[in-house]
Amino acid sequence: MHKFTFGKLILGVAVVLTTLGLLRYKPWAKNGAATARDVIHEGVNKKATRELTVGYLPVTCHLTCPVTDFASKTTQTNTNFNSRVFSDFPTVVSALEAKQVQATFMIVPLAMKLREQGVPVKICYLGHRDGSQVIVGKNSKIRSLKDLKGKKMAIPSLYSNQNFVIHKMMDEYGMEPDDIEFIILPPPDMPTSLASSAIDAYFVGEPFCAKAELDGIGRVLYYARDIWPNFISCALVVHEDLIQQNPGVVEDLVRGIAESGAWAETHRAEAAKLASPYFRQDEKVLNYVLTSNPKRVSYLQLTPADEDLQHIQDQGIKLKLLTKNIPMNELIDREFVPQVITPAPIDEAWIPAIK
């Protein structure tokens, strides 16, 4: 009798705790509630009456996502944006398809592939320009692309513009597609894989290129801007359901991303300090990326242009990774881009000191 009563008590406690957890995190919510791990900053904004969770990876072409998160909480905006960090793009795709997030930063060719497969997404803004490099071992004898023949190179995805661009370069060098062995790795794993000699090179967005340099394990072989001027890696991708059902939220989001880019362009050291806890990375690495050479990363001219995206799509079709020539008006939605973009009104006093 006592065992039965105790068992019922334990079961009751478990049910209560589970119910409280469900009520707290609301995993069924369509906008993808941020977890406690994702909440980096709480501010003073009392005006916001709605919120949206936006996905990102800890790469500088997604930096405007945490900046927008921060700005929405420390200024009087209509919408609070909670940035949710991911470590790889397959997980981002799964979350977007399941509508756990309805807005996320994503590599542009992957967004094109999703649209091709019938997932109703639109590219509403770009992440940044340039900001990717080809990295090889610091003491490696590799001096040109041809030296990578028979070597292993890591890329973030087959559907990354890094993959598209490097194959374009290989073609220009007269190399065969299988002259280099490509390995898919999450960006955070690339520097350690290079250090352990598991790979010979990698092509990815910052700050994982700078990290290899600062750790003394890698050097830049090529800057993306020298291979493909005004290189584009990622874009803000929004589910059409959100665009149709909550256009005001999307307007707030795109404006916030645009203003965050304008702020980051002229407040580079401050942007590194702000993003560091969101990225869970050393501020020194981000600061090096953003301040050592302004041409390394640019947050200007981020309204998606038909010509830029058409070049990417054409290369994807040539590689047979994309199969359809999707009209740009089906792929891009520029309706929410503000006509005048001013830097986000971020009070630097609110940026927390790194502990």
Side-chain angles (χ1 to χ4, degrees):
M1 180 65 179
H2 290 295
K3 289 183 180 180
F4 175 74
T5 302
F6 182 73
K8 288 206 303 183
L9 176 62
I10 294 298
L11 179 60
V13 171
V15 169
V16 169
L17 291 176
T18 300
T19 302
L20 289 174
L22 289 171
L23 290 173
R24 170 67 179 86
Y25 293 107
K26 301 178 183 177
W28 58 81
K30 289 186 178 181
N31 70 345
T35 67
R37 181 174 179 268
D38 296 318
V39 177
I40 304 299
H41 188 83
E42 294 288 359
V44 295
N45 186 8
K46 304 300 181 185
K47 179 181 177 181
T49 58
R50 55 198 182 191
E51 67 177 8
L52 180 73
T53 297
V54 185
Y56 75 102
L57 268 67
V59 289
T60 53
C61 49
H62 299 190
L63 180 138
T64 51
C65 183
V67 174
T68 301
D69 172 316
F70 182 90
S72 75
K73 294 176 173 63
T74 57
T75 60
Q76 296 303 304
T77 53
N78 294 324
T79 310
N80 264 345
F81 294 106
N82 300 310
S83 54
R84 177 180 174 186
V85 66
F86 292 86
S87 62
D88 58 68
F89 287 110
T91 310
V92 173
V93 170
S94 297
L96 186 61
E97 288 179 324
K99 293 204 286 188
Q100 294 173 350
V101 293
Q102 290 184 280
T104 185
F105 279 81
M106 178 182 291
I107 38 182
V108 167
L110 189 54
M112 292 176 173
K113 190 64 181 180
L114 288 177
R115 185 80 199 190
E116 184 180 285
Q117 293 175 338
V119 181
V121 294
K122 292 271 195 176
I123 291 173
C124 293
Y125 207 63
L126 301 181
H128 68 24
R129 299 275 184 173
D130 307 318
S132 289
Q133 341 295 347
V134 177
I135 298 293
V136 297
K138 182 178 181 179
N139 300 317
S140 168
K141 295 181 180 180
I142 297 170
R143 291 291 182 268
S144 75
L145 188 68
K146 285 193 172 182
D147 294 334
L148 283 166
K149 185 174 182 179
K151 306 292 186 180
K152 296 178 180 179
M153 174 183 281
I155 52 176
S157 168
L158 287 177
Y159 297 99
S160 65
N161 209 25
Q162 285 85 357
N163 186 41
F164 286 20
V165 168
I166 204 68
H167 275 89
K168 181 178 182 292
M169 191 178 183
M170 289 171 67
D171 187 54
E172 293 170 351
Y173 271 65
M175 298 175 69
E176 297 297 323
D178 59 355
D179 279 350
I180 298 174
E181 181 182 351
F182 290 96
I183 297 172
I184 309 301
L185 281 180
D189 294 344
M190 293 184 185
T192 53
S193 296
L194 182 69
S196 67
S197 299
I199 57 175
D200 302 288
Y202 61 85
F203 189 10
V204 77
E206 294 286 10
F208 300 105
C209 308
K211 180 168 176 53
E213 289 182 87
L214 293 176
D215 287 350
I217 60 174
R219 59 179 170 82
V220 176
L221 181 65
Y222 295 106
Y223 290 94
R225 67 173 185 265
D226 295 329
I227 305 172
W228 187 314
N230 293 317
F231 176 84
I232 296 169
S233 177
C234 295
L236 174 66
V237 176
V238 181
H239 200 287
E240 281 195 79
D241 284 0
L242 182 63
I243 292 174
Q244 293 168 6
Q245 296 167 10
N246 291 292
V249 171
V250 180
E251 182 179 11
D252 282 352
L253 174 60
V254 177
R255 183 179 62 253
I257 295 295
E259 291 180 350
S260 293
W263 178 82
E265 181 69 22
T266 56
H267 296 76
R268 290 172 173 260
E270 295 84 355
K273 181 180 179 182
L274 187 158
S276 177
Y278 288 88
F279 280 18
R280 299 177 180 89
Q281 292 170 357
D282 189 340
E283 180 190 343
K284 293 179 181 178
V285 178
L286 290 171
N287 187 276
Y288 177 77
V289 173
L290 295 175
T291 66
S292 64
N293 183 347
K295 293 183 179 180
R296 192 164 184 148
V297 176
S298 173
Y299 293 95
L300 300 175
Q301 299 178 351
L302 301 183
T303 299
D306 289 8
E307 183 180 4
D308 285 337
L309 269 62
Q310 190 64 60
H311 285 329
I312 296 172
Q313 184 171 257
D314 290 345
Q315 180 65 8
I317 291 172
K318 183 177 180 180
L319 293 174
K320 299 181 179 180
L321 288 169
L322 300 176
T323 61
K324 295 180 182 179
N325 192 351
I326 302 171
M328 289 297 114
N329 63 349
E330 294 182 15
L331 185 65
I332 304 171
D333 190 337
R334 287 182 283 259
E335 177 184 351
F336 301 102
V337 179
Q339 292 185 352
V340 178
I341 299 172
T342 57
I346 290 176
D347 184 348
E348 295 167 23
W350 274 95
I351 300 176
I354 304 300
K355 297 179 180 180

